[in-house]
Amino acid sequence: DGGITQSPKYLFRKEGQNVTLSCEQNLNHDAMYWYRQDPGQGLRLIYYSQIVNDFQKGDIAEGYSVSREKKESFPLTVTSAQKNPTAFYLCASSITQAGGKPNSPLHFGNGTRLTVT
Amino acid sequence: AQTVTQSQPEMSVQEAETVTLSCTYDTSENNYYLFWYKQPPSRQMILVIRQEAYKQQNATENRFSVNFQKAAKSFSLKISDSQLGDTAMYFCAFLTPGAGSYQLTFGKGTKLSVIP
């Protein structure tokens, strides 16, 4: 079955350490996204990528970095510069079409809960 | 910038009853899409229903339907015959296709509890 896999489900790190969250999809989707979810805040966009080797900052990119070396993979690194990294992180993907009309909504992974102490 | 407002942080409904979740949005765009996502305790985000702004007909998916009022910028979700499995966070989301990117803007969510 096609889908999006995020690993690990739970991640614990000490303050000051960088940590990388994995996101892999086998849906053959061009676009991938990272969202952060905090209680009472909804989902906020961190980074997104429309094609391989290209990505754009979202609304809250500070303290995060990404790479898109393969179509299937879009890892997110939470750096020590991120002041409040403890949160639930969701990866998503979607089809993109020429002409700017999306024909499908976002498909989400199951998320990674990051706790930094 | 687009904003999405869900004015009901929490709601409850008796099993088999009907409930309506509110969502309003603000945009200057004319071409856009609206979605309702469900997030159960497992935290998996699941698409419930979507609406294209250029379609006047309200979208329906089984027990789920929307009341799309474009002039009022309102997009409410109606759940009929509520079931225990409908207990979840519900997020309204707005998407404007532009410059090749498809960024969803989410509301802060409504926590729905279905009571037996």
Side-chain angles (χ1 to χ4, degrees):
Chain A
D1 288 341
I4 300 176
T5 301
Q6 289 187 245
S7 61
K9 187 172 182 178
Y10 299 97
L11 193 54
F12 298 88
R13 280 294 183 271
K14 294 290 188 182
E15 190 173 337
Q17 293 179 334
N18 292 354
V19 60
T20 298
L21 282 61
S22 170
C23 178
E24 303 279 333
Q25 54 100 358
N26 60 5
L27 298 167
N28 200 32
H29 285 172
D30 294 310
M32 298 187 74
Y33 311 79
W34 274 105
Y35 284 88
R36 169 178 172 145
Q37 186 177 20
D38 296 283
Q41 291 287 336
L43 277 70
R44 293 181 290 170
L45 182 65
I46 304 172
Y47 267 98
Y48 64 97
S49 168
Q50 298 295 307
I51 57 173
V52 174
N53 292 323
D54 185 56
F55 47 83
Q56 306 294 329
K57 292 182 179 180
D59 299 322
I60 56 167
E62 185 175 352
Y64 299 97
S65 65
V66 294
S67 63
R68 187 85 187 276
E69 297 178 0
K70 299 185 299 181
K71 187 176 184 179
E72 301 80 17
S73 178
F74 191 43
L76 172 74
T77 296
V78 184
T79 75
S80 57
Q82 168 52 233
K83 298 190 185 309
N84 187 18
T86 294
F88 186 66
Y89 291 87
L90 281 161
C91 179
S93 69
S94 70
I95 296 171
T96 58
Q97 277 188 325
K101 291 188 178 181
N103 72 343
S104 72
L106 296 187
H107 295 258
F108 285 87
N110 287 332
T112 293
R113 172 68 183 178
L114 173 65
T115 302
V116 176
T117 57
Chain B
Q2 289 85 12
T3 59
V4 177
T5 302
Q6 294 179 248
S7 59
Q8 306 148 315
E10 294 192 39
M11 295 189 71
S12 62
V13 62
Q14 291 287 337
E15 193 175 5
E17 296 294 310
T18 295
V19 65
T20 298
L21 280 58
S22 301
C23 173
T24 59
Y25 57 93
D26 187 24
T27 183
S28 58
E29 301 289 337
N30 193 49
N31 179 30
Y32 53 88
Y33 300 76
L34 294 159
F35 304 87
W36 278 98
Y37 279 89
K38 168 185 177 181
Q39 188 179 42
S42 66
R43 306 203 76 170
Q44 171 78 45
M45 291 288 284
I46 302 165
L47 177 68
V48 175
I49 199 166
R50 64 175 168 171
Q51 175 83 40
E52 289 88 345
Y54 60 86
K55 290 186 178 179
Q56 293 191 350
Q57 185 175 5
N58 289 326
T60 63
E61 287 288 342
N62 300 313
R63 297 182 295 108
F64 299 88
S65 61
V66 298
N67 183 6
F68 175 48
Q69 305 279 337
K70 189 172 184 179
K73 297 181 182 176
S74 171
F75 183 60
S76 61
L77 174 70
K78 186 172 81 171
I79 306 174
S80 304
D81 186 26
S82 297
Q83 301 175 0
L84 296 179
D86 295 334
T87 292
M89 284 290 292
Y90 287 82
F91 293 95
C92 178
F94 174 96
L95 184 151
T96 302
S101 68
Y102 309 117
Q103 299 179 52
L104 278 178
T105 300
F106 286 86
K108 293 186 177 182
T110 295
K111 183 177 181 180
L112 177 67
S113 299
V114 179
I115 303 168

